[in-house]
Amino acid sequence: MQGVIRIYTILSFFIYIILCSVVYMLIKEVLEKKKEKKRKKLKDTFGVEVQRHIEMLKANKKLSKMDIDFIKSKINKKNYFAVFNDMVIQSNKYKENEIYIKKYISYFEEEILKIIKKYGKKDDIEKTFIVNLLGEYGLNNYEINQFLFNCLNTKSIYLRVETLKAFSRIGNITNLLKVLEFISNKEEYVHSKILIDVLDNFNGDFDTLDKNLLLKFDIFNDNIQKDIIEHFRNRNVYS
């Protein structure tokens, strides 16, 4: 009899766990749909305003203080920040827009730095999200660079790779060389194809980058040296 009671108790417990999981998934799905609906509505209003500002910069028109202050007052809110980033990423798909996006983002540098500070103690998954955005933004200042350098000290290969890509997109040669040196000295794993792509897609002065890679060639480990040589071949450097 006690055995039957024990089995019944265990089954009841598992049924309870399953029901809780189902309820959780249903609630999560409802909340996600609600969030998506809200963001879609914001995209049709706030997103359109962000896009209007970018188009103004492309037409060499100045943004008013009212325009800038309006965006500043909104991007510290989660849904607004998400829509803001969606518009930035959408515009950045066209390389000719990058210079205007960088200029636009610079208006909100202080607000973005406040957001970055919140991610300092987050886990690697959440850090990867903000690191990817920093690559999109293209901002190059001390606080952002320090945050990115700190993100290199991770066991997460994915975060390390996204950080490397962010430095490449920001386009600061000195910092990219420091990152390569760090990876070399620490013997951190980065797949050759990824590293070569990072060098091949550097968002800055290629000639200066290549000269510096050649000057510092001997300080890198064998793996990175091989990747640099492959990058030189892709670029037809010194051929």
Side-chain angles (χ1 to χ4, degrees), residues 7 57 92 112 139 165 211-212:
I7 292 170
L57 293 176
N92 258 345
I112 289 167
L139 290 178
K165 288 179 180 179
K211 286 175 185 176
N212 278 277

Side-chain angles (χ1 to χ4, degrees), residues 1-19:
M1 188 66 179
Q2 286 183 348
V4 173
I5 293 171
R6 188 176 297 146
I7 292 170
Y8 178 78
T9 303
I10 292 170
L11 284 173
S12 298
F13 175 74
F14 277 113
I15 291 170
Y16 172 75
I17 294 295
I18 291 168
L19 285 173

Side-chain angles (χ1 to χ4, degrees), residues 26-135:
L26 288 172
I27 292 172
K28 187 178 179 183
E29 186 178 350
V30 169
L31 291 174
E32 283 295 322
K33 285 182 178 179
K34 189 176 180 181
K35 182 172 71 175
E36 285 303 313
K37 188 176 180 181
K38 187 172 183 180
R39 286 184 180 177
K40 187 180 183 304
K41 189 176 179 180
L42 282 175
K43 204 165 187 177
D44 294 337
T45 52
F46 181 72
V48 169
E49 188 68 7
V50 171
Q51 189 59 46
R52 184 180 71 84
H53 294 170
I54 294 169
E55 293 301 322
M56 284 178 68
L57 293 176
K58 286 168 68 176
N60 291 318
K61 295 179 181 178
K62 287 185 177 181
L63 298 181
S64 70
K65 187 177 183 301
M66 186 181 294
D67 285 335
I68 296 167
D69 287 345
F70 172 70
I71 302 298
K72 282 182 176 182
S73 70
K74 298 295 184 182
I75 58 173
N76 62 336
K77 299 171 184 175
K78 196 170 183 179
N79 287 324
Y80 282 91
F81 187 55
V83 172
F84 177 83
N85 291 321
D86 285 345
M87 303 312 295
V88 167
I89 292 168
Q90 183 179 306
S91 293
N92 258 345
K93 287 179 181 177
Y94 305 96
K95 193 163 181 64
E96 64 269 20
N97 287 344
E98 287 181 356
I99 187 171
Y100 304 108
I101 293 297
K102 190 179 288 190
K103 184 176 180 180
Y104 186 55
I105 293 294
S106 68
Y107 288 115
F108 317 111
E109 196 166 322
E110 286 185 17
E111 285 68 32
I112 289 167
L113 289 177
K114 289 175 186 175
I115 293 169
I116 290 171
K117 284 180 182 178
K118 295 177 183 178
Y119 279 84
K121 295 180 181 179
K122 301 275 188 181
D123 61 31
D124 286 347
I125 294 173
E126 291 189 271
K127 282 181 180 176
T128 301
F129 164 76
I130 199 70
V131 163
N132 184 271
L133 287 179
L134 292 177

Side-chain angles (χ1 to χ4, degrees), residues 164-165 168 191-203 206 227 231 234:
L164 184 57
K165 288 179 180 179
S168 177
H191 195 283
S192 287
K193 186 181 183 306
I194 292 172
L195 190 52
I196 294 164
D197 283 346
V198 162
L199 295 174
D200 288 352
N201 293 295
F202 178 68
N203 196 22
F206 267 119
D227 295 339
H231 161 69
N234 293 342

